[in-house]
Amino acid sequence: MNIERVQTGVRIEKRLLKVLKALAELKDLSLGDLLEGICLHALDGKAPFEKETLKQVKELKRIYGLSLTAADSHQLKEAGDAR
């Protein structure tokens, strides 16, 4: 399927980015391709990862010290943010 991609600059939590980049590397994907896949699955109400991949994600989260969960997603504040 032909698509048009655009370059974007997004801000993302540092440890989360490390986990995503490592997972993309494990799956032999670009970070953009991994993110597209995750988003498309989420928008269809489907889980993006199988059990084996979730095990890999758990280990990568441990390695990079990522303790954030989905429950934290709307409560994140940047250091120095007065909001």
Side-chain angles (χ1 to χ4, degrees), residues 4-21:
E4 179 183 353
R5 288 197 169 102
V6 294
Q7 189 66 35
T8 182
V10 296
R11 295 174 61 81
I12 189 168
E13 199 279 332
K14 185 177 181 176
R15 295 165 298 169
L16 177 57
L17 178 60
K18 287 181 179 184
V19 168
L20 291 171
K21 287 171 94 172

Side-chain angles (χ1 to χ4, degrees), residues 18-60:
K18 287 181 179 184
V19 168
L20 291 171
K21 287 171 94 172
L23 183 59
E25 180 69 26
L26 276 173
K27 298 298 180 184
D28 198 27
L29 296 169
S30 71
L31 179 59
D33 286 344
L34 178 70
L35 292 173
E36 283 177 346
I38 291 170
C39 292
L40 290 170
H41 278 78
L43 292 173
D44 281 349
K46 297 180 180 180
F49 303 126
E50 295 182 1
K51 284 185 180 183
E52 183 58 34
T53 302
L54 289 174
K55 288 180 188 176
Q56 294 170 321
V57 168
K58 185 176 180 180
E59 180 63 10
L60 291 171

